[in-house]
Amino acid sequence: MSSVIDESLLEGGEGSRGEILDAAAEAFMRKGFAAASIDDVADILGCTKGRIYHHYRSKADLFFDVHRRGMAMDLQAVRSCMAEERAPLDQLFEMAVAHLMVVMSQIAYQRVAVQGLEMHLAGQTTPEQRKTLRAILTMRDEYEGLFAGEIERARAAGAIPEQDVHLVVKAFMGALNWTTIWYRQRRNQSQAERRRIAEEIARFALRGLGGPPAPAAAPAAGGKA
Amino acid sequence: MSSVIDESLLEGGEGSRGEILDAAAEAFMRKGFAAASIDDVADILGCTKGRIYHHYRSKADLFFDVHRRGMAMDLQAVRSCMAEERAPLDQLFEMAVAHLMVVMSQIAYQRVAVQGLEMHLAGQTTPEQRKTLRAILTMRDEYEGLFAGEIERARAAGAIPEQDVHLVVKAFMGALNWTTIWYRQRRNQSQAERRRIAEEIARFALRGLGGPPAPAAAPAAGGKA
DNA sequence: TGCATCCAACGTACTGCGTAGTATGTTTCT
DNA sequence: AGAAACATACTACGCAGTACGTTGGATGCA
């Protein structure tokens, strides 16, 4: 792992940079990269541009850091649930739920990460920024590869029908990631309610692969409705 | 020009406005609404802003028209395949394939339509524009309602398990619409190849609903099990 | 047929504003 | 004293929108 990833990506919203990242994620989520201004971010923080430009050299660099932190959240959550040995389809279910829980609890960062996907920034970036962008997209490819790998394992094990893995992983991720588009966090929405949503979406995605009709719930959770 | 949906929405790229719409869809797809300039659109056409502002009062109005035309494409394709009477799951499969074929053949318009979903444009729109925006979003809700209705029919007929229809329709549309994110049209990509992709994605989405494992051949007619 | 008129469909040239980025104070902590 | 962590004040520029000029084709009329 030639890590571009260091621990600073996982530190919480504490610290000045963490607060800036949170505010930037919020602003970019609301208006998008191009429409959101640095002053918007500063307003959320109740400060001025000076503070932001003291920590980040440009708006693009700030965006990259938000994007990267969003990806780091995904990676950490999914990797941690890949520690245990499970059958591929059970593993995929856990990964999907973990991903969805991150999406719903960190909707701002996750929407920014999706924005980064659609954005080309062609021409309007410096060579150094393009290098950073490539690194982030590689990070995302690796992330999608974690899911693709498990799907491939399931296919090789005969747990799901023969199919174009490169294609269905897109549909799989789509079913999950579309959550960033429609989901709105409600006040007083319990963790349990979020988990119900996550499991329902994850079940949909798992069934989409064509496995056994009734994917069992997690052994620890034990939630047969 | 404050008419709602008329036949002009379905006219092809011919005509001056049609050309402008095509160019605008291209520009908005490449850079997004905020980053794309009217001059970008003009450059694609090889003309100047004058031509565009002669036909559209503002950038937002132009965007709305592209969005609306994208939705009209979807509606026409899906409605036309709803003419025949089919079992709900068969109907859904045809609808999904039709939707995906439109997405792949009109990727620019479809990506703009997705952009419109994420965009709030809060505050920076006139009351009249907000009214137009509401109309378009209503159009999209109705479109999603076509799919939700068929899913509900399938559920009521016992063809798929009991589940939260409002939730799974999001996952369903996500599996389909995510195509706007990852799909790139290849040169020399045959219609048959596109159909193969569409059917593979559609199968995934159909299986996600939890219907019969094999592509619907078994008679699902009859009351609840 | 020839000509004048009118207007749609642009092109040209310009303005005003929002915003990214910078240069330079000012404060607090070590 | 020095530097990190900001705030303040400013500039440069891109872009949406506008005012106005230009052209070509349709129409009316002698």
Side-chain angles (χ1 to χ4, degrees), chain A residues 91-130:
Chain A
Q91 189 70 274
L92 268 169
F93 182 79
E94 295 299 322
M95 290 164 66
V97 169
H99 177 72
L100 286 164
M101 291 301 285
V102 173
V103 165
M104 285 186 285
S105 62
Q106 301 288 344
I107 186 71
Y109 283 93
Q110 297 301 311
R111 282 193 61 141
V112 171
V114 170
Q115 272 185 52
L117 262 186
E118 311 176 52
M119 175 178 323
H120 302 305
L121 287 175
Q124 52 193 3
T125 46
T126 70
E128 187 185 1
Q129 285 173 346
R130 292 198 71 80

Side-chain angles (χ1 to χ4, degrees), chain A residues 178 182-183 186 196-197 200-201 204, chain B residues 141 144-145 147-149 151-152 155 160 162-174 209:
Chain A
W178 198 246
W182 59 265
Y183 180 77
R186 313 264 192 188
R196 189 195 69 91
I197 294 175
E200 186 108 33
I201 303 278
F204 176 93
Chain B
D141 285 344
E144 190 170 302
F147 289 87
I151 294 176
E152 177 58 32
R155 191 198 59 82
I160 58 174
E162 291 292 325
Q163 52 195 306
D164 187 339
V165 173
H166 289 291
L167 205 53
V168 295
V169 69
K170 297 296 184 184
F172 188 92
M173 300 308 291
L209 296 175

Side-chain angles (χ1 to χ4, degrees), chain A residues 4-220:
Chain A
V4 190
I5 313 159
D6 55 289
E7 300 75 20
S8 68
L9 288 174
L10 297 178
E11 76 185 6
E14 312 90 39
S16 192
R17 292 174 75 105
E19 286 180 3
I20 292 175
L21 281 179
D22 287 347
E26 183 70 22
F28 289 143
M29 177 184 74
R30 288 185 197 166
K31 299 191 173 184
F33 171 76
S37 70
I38 297 290
D39 288 304
D40 287 336
V41 180
D43 284 344
I44 293 176
L45 290 169
C47 67
T48 67
K49 306 164 75 159
R51 179 176 171 189
I52 295 168
Y53 277 103
H54 178 72
H55 292 278
Y56 291 95
R57 294 173 57 192
S58 71
K59 183 180 166 182
D61 286 328
L62 177 57
F63 181 84
F64 290 152
D65 223 27
V66 174
H67 190 162
R68 199 156 54 186
R69 200 160 116 81
M71 288 301 308
M73 289 170 177
D74 288 332
L75 273 171
Q76 191 201 27
V78 167
R79 281 228 173 92
S80 75
C81 82
M82 286 180 75
E84 297 182 36
E85 286 282 334
R86 294 191 187 90
L89 289 184
D90 293 336
Q91 189 70 274
L92 268 169
F93 182 79
E94 295 299 322
M95 290 164 66
V97 169
H99 177 72
L100 286 164
M101 291 301 285
V102 173
V103 165
M104 285 186 285
S105 62
Q106 301 288 344
I107 186 71
Y109 283 93
Q110 297 301 311
R111 282 193 61 141
V112 171
V114 170
Q115 272 185 52
L117 262 186
E118 311 176 52
M119 175 178 323
H120 302 305
L121 287 175
Q124 52 193 3
T125 46
T126 70
E128 187 185 1
Q129 285 173 346
R130 292 198 71 80
K131 184 181 170 187
T132 306
L133 188 55
R134 296 285 287 179
I136 295 176
L137 293 191
T138 298
M139 201 167 157
R140 174 168 285 275
D141 285 343
E142 287 177 17
Y143 184 66
E144 190 169 301
L146 294 179
F147 288 88
E150 289 299 318
I151 293 176
E152 177 59 32
R153 276 184 55 199
R155 190 198 59 82
I160 58 174
E162 292 292 325
Q163 53 194 308
D164 187 340
V165 173
H166 289 291
L167 204 53
V168 295
V169 69
K170 297 296 185 184
F172 188 93
M173 300 307 293
L176 304 188
N177 282 332
W178 198 246
T179 309
T180 60
I181 304 289
W182 59 265
Y183 180 77
R184 306 277 175 246
Q185 71 270 41
R186 313 264 192 188
R187 44 186 168 73
N188 293 338
Q189 185 170 49
S190 66
Q191 193 78 355
E193 173 64 7
R194 279 184 186 168
R195 182 160 291 274
R196 189 195 69 91
I197 294 175
E199 289 179 354
E200 186 108 33
I201 303 278
R203 268 195 297 272
F204 176 93
L206 259 293
R207 283 191 305 234
L209 296 175

